[in-house]
Amino acid sequence: MAADLAAMKIKMAYSHLEKISEFEKRGINGAGKLKKRIQAEINFLQKGLENSGLEEKDVQCSNLGQLGALADVAMDIPSVCGILQSFRNEDNDKIIIDIVGDNGMKWIKVIMRNPKALHLLFALGRRGNAKPLNEVAVDFLRCAELHPVFYCTPKVVFWFCNGVSEGLAGSIEEKGAAVEGRRIPDQDLGLPDFSLDDSDSNSETDESSASSCYSEASEDDKMFLSNNSKDSNVDEIGNFSPVTMHSGRPTNVSMNLTSGSAEFNISPQEKNYSGLSDQSVLGLNHSSFQSHSPDRGHLGCVNLDVTAMIAYVSATSNGGANFIFHDKFLNEQAACERLDPVKKTLHQYFEGKEWVACREAVDRFQEIVDVIGGDGEKARAKDLLARLTVVPGQDFFKDKMRTGGKIRELPRITFGTGQALQAITVTSNMGFIRAAQCQGISLAVLVHQPRALTEAKQTQATPLEGV
């Protein structure tokens, strides 16, 4: 009996691994972590079968049910950009979000527990470490407020795979979270009428590997993880996200714009300049991004830093990419431009927006163009500056960032100005973004590929044949 049950679970687990492989191909944050957890459960069951010592309780202890449900729900969610993502609440405790969807605008908690057990906890109230789900909803909602995506709070959704009592669902919705799943009248659960207004939940324990045994029927959602460590950085699965601040608190959501689309990322991670990421990001087209902004007057402008202005006027991004330069770095940029024109990407996002830049960034940009820019680049720079609204720099992060390394005064002021204006800063300065993340500060950004001023170097470059 135990062997048959284990074989069935292993078969289902492999089907879930196939689904997760699609997330890995798309570079979704946390897909690899989910894959490792499922594989660990498979290895645990297979080892038990090989040793002929597997008992039915061992199979029931497997966490494959919860992990498989998470994979199934993720397949049904549009624009998933993160799985098992970590965020910190106001007490610096860790919250784990099962699925981050809708390009960062939706946090989904997947719940597999028996609806009867959930309602019982809801009716009787907290028992030890087990929180009713309506209380967990409050924790999630407060944490979401600290981690806005483009200055908007993500929507919290509780997704019940096995159904939920009407009483519990109503209580969760009263707190402000949404509920998905079949609703079961309280009286149909076969429980006494406790006539209590309390709600129910799962205790939030760490999702451990196969070596820890807890049954699927009684397992808690394991989403709310209390961490005694006060490290404010997101854990290994937590960013895209350089991102925004809420009430002066750093958040971890950031946005990249590559290949004509914006990308969300939910944990500190490296991005190379080819527009690809280490793990996890999801494309978001311009119209899709706009659809998330019903009332975002502050997003009506974009804040350009020096790298964005240079990329905009560079000869490489204005028809001069068909050269072989002596400099390897310039050759890489030209090759990238031929495949993915950066100005087209920037124009797509800038459409209908006010272009803003701080005085300090404009002055530095003008100095660079005057020294190494060609005639065409200087003319485009003049046109760009005529379109810009130049504002005084605001050193928003002066007392929040330690200077040194990639944290220098000019980019700090530039990004700080965007933060003070609640605008999205356009940049290719990933060094500053990563350094800020290391200090627990995420920035609201659009990341583009870098371009240098190359017009003066074209005379020594070799034109590509046949172009």
Side-chain angles (χ1 to χ4, degrees):
M1 180 63 179
D4 293 339
L5 184 58
M8 180 184 68
K9 283 185 172 288
I10 290 172
K11 182 179 179 180
M12 293 178 62
Y14 277 115
S15 70
H16 289 128
L17 288 179
E18 292 179 5
K19 298 175 184 177
I20 297 168
S21 67
E22 295 300 317
F23 291 127
E24 285 190 302
K25 292 176 183 177
R26 290 160 52 189
I28 302 299
N29 267 345
K33 182 172 185 177
L34 178 59
K35 180 179 180 179
K36 288 179 181 178
R37 290 187 177 186
I38 291 178
Q39 188 62 60
E41 298 290 342
I42 292 174
N43 294 342
F44 173 73
L45 294 179
Q46 287 179 333
K47 185 175 181 180
L49 289 174
E50 292 171 1
N51 296 333
S52 301
L54 196 66
E55 298 181 10
E56 187 171 345
K57 65 177 182 179
D58 298 323
V59 181
Q60 295 295 344
C61 284
S62 171
N63 199 26
L64 284 174
Q66 172 71 20
L67 299 175
L70 199 159
D72 287 337
V73 172
M75 292 296 292
D76 292 335
I77 299 300
S79 303
V80 171
C81 56
I83 297 172
L84 296 174
Q85 298 297 290
S86 299
F87 299 91
R88 297 280 178 173
N89 64 14
E90 55 191 1
D91 296 323
N92 207 29
D93 294 327
K94 189 192 302 181
I95 297 281
I96 303 295
I97 305 302
D98 282 334
I99 302 168
V100 179
D102 200 12
N103 296 302
M105 296 300 297
K106 186 176 291 184
W107 288 8
I108 300 169
K109 176 177 176 61
V110 179
I111 302 153
M112 273 287 290
R113 245 186 114 177
N114 188 308
K116 183 182 294 188
L118 292 174
H119 185 83
L120 188 61
L121 182 57
F122 161 65
L124 298 178
R126 184 190 298 224
R127 291 295 181 270
N129 292 327
K131 272 189 177 182
L133 278 184
N134 61 328
E135 294 184 22
V136 176
V138 173
D139 295 329
F140 274 51
L141 291 163
R142 288 176 177 171
C143 186
E145 290 180 354
L146 300 177
H147 299 274
V149 178
F150 294 104
Y151 308 105
C152 289
T153 301
K155 180 180 180 181
V156 174
V157 180
F158 280 52
W159 192 294
F160 292 88
C161 298
N162 292 326
V164 57
S165 67
E166 290 180 345
L168 174 56
S171 180
I172 292 173
E173 290 174 333
E174 287 177 0
K175 304 299 183 184
V179 173
E180 293 286 346
R182 179 173 58 94
R183 309 221 178 185
I184 305 170
D186 296 359
Q187 60 270 23
D188 291 352
L189 293 173
L191 293 171
D193 182 6
F194 296 95
S195 298
L196 294 179
D197 293 330
D198 237 334
S199 80
D200 122 337
S201 145
N202 319 354
S203 66
E204 303 297 334
T205 58
D206 188 15
E207 292 189 3
S208 54
S209 66
S211 60
S212 70
C213 177
Y214 42 89
S215 71
E216 293 174 15
S218 63
E219 91 188 61
D220 295 322
D221 304 347
K222 310 176 221 34
M223 272 315 159
F224 184 67
L225 302 182
S226 182
N227 191 327
N228 293 327
S229 168
K230 294 302 177 182
D231 178 10
S232 61
N233 294 329
V234 181
D235 72 1
E236 80 268 14
I237 58 161
N239 176 108
F240 167 37
S241 301
V243 161
T244 62
M245 306 273 299
H246 181 81
S247 302
R249 298 178 184 275
T251 72
N252 29 20
V253 183
S254 120
M255 183 169 171
N256 277 0
L257 186 64
T258 61
S259 304
S261 64
E263 299 175 345
F264 284 90
N265 194 350
I266 308 214
S267 74
Q269 46 185 311
E270 304 284 323
K271 282 198 175 285
N272 63 36
Y273 287 121
S274 67
L276 302 177
S277 66
D278 264 1
Q279 49 179 342
S280 115
V281 257
L282 183 78
L284 170 66
N285 62 36
H286 182 58
S287 60
S288 177
F289 171 69
Q290 294 287 56
S291 70
H292 289 306
S293 314
D295 184 23
R296 294 186 183 184
H298 47 277
L299 293 184
C301 67
V302 287
N303 174 43
L304 280 63
D305 80 340
V306 175
T307 65
M309 289 185 275
I310 289 177
Y312 194 82
V313 305
S314 167
T316 297
S317 55
N318 286 274
N322 299 318
F323 289 91
I324 301 297
F325 295 93
H326 295 297
D327 185 278
K328 178 182 178 181
F329 177 68
L330 297 183
N331 270 333
E332 290 176 350
Q333 288 194 5
C336 184
E337 176 68 20
R338 291 192 292 270
L339 294 174
D340 187 9
V342 71
K343 196 166 182 179
K344 178 181 177 181
T345 297
L346 295 176
H347 269 155
Q348 184 182 21
Y349 185 74
F350 292 168
E351 182 181 1
K353 300 289 195 301
E354 180 183 6
W355 303 6
V356 173
C358 68
R359 169 54 61 188
E360 292 81 353
V362 168
D363 289 345
R364 179 56 178 156
F365 166 68
Q366 189 68 70
E367 290 174 5
I368 295 172
V369 172
D370 288 344
V371 173
I372 64 175
D375 291 341
E377 290 169 334
K378 290 178 180 178
R380 285 188 291 273
K382 183 177 180 180
D383 292 340
L384 173 61
L385 294 178
R387 294 194 60 180
L388 282 174
T389 298
V390 181
V391 299
Q394 300 187 55
D395 202 352
F396 183 89
F397 297 113
K398 182 177 182 179
D399 298 325
K400 300 176 177 66
M401 288 186 183
R402 298 185 303 274
T403 56
K406 298 293 184 178
I407 304 294
R408 300 177 182 176
E409 184 178 16
L410 177 58
R412 190 187 69 201
I413 292 173
T414 302
F415 284 92
T417 301
Q419 181 64 47
L421 297 175
Q422 287 201 337
I424 307 300
T425 298
V426 184
T427 182
S428 65
N429 190 351
M430 287 302 298
F432 182 90
I433 293 171
R434 288 192 292 264
Q437 288 175 324
C438 288
Q439 295 190 27
I441 296 176
S442 293
L443 307 163
V445 300
L446 284 164
V447 177
H448 64 84
Q449 299 166 7
R451 298 290 182 265
L453 299 180
T454 58
E455 186 175 358
K457 299 182 181 296
Q458 288 179 358
T459 57
Q460 300 175 350
T462 303
L464 285 175
E465 296 182 2
V467 179

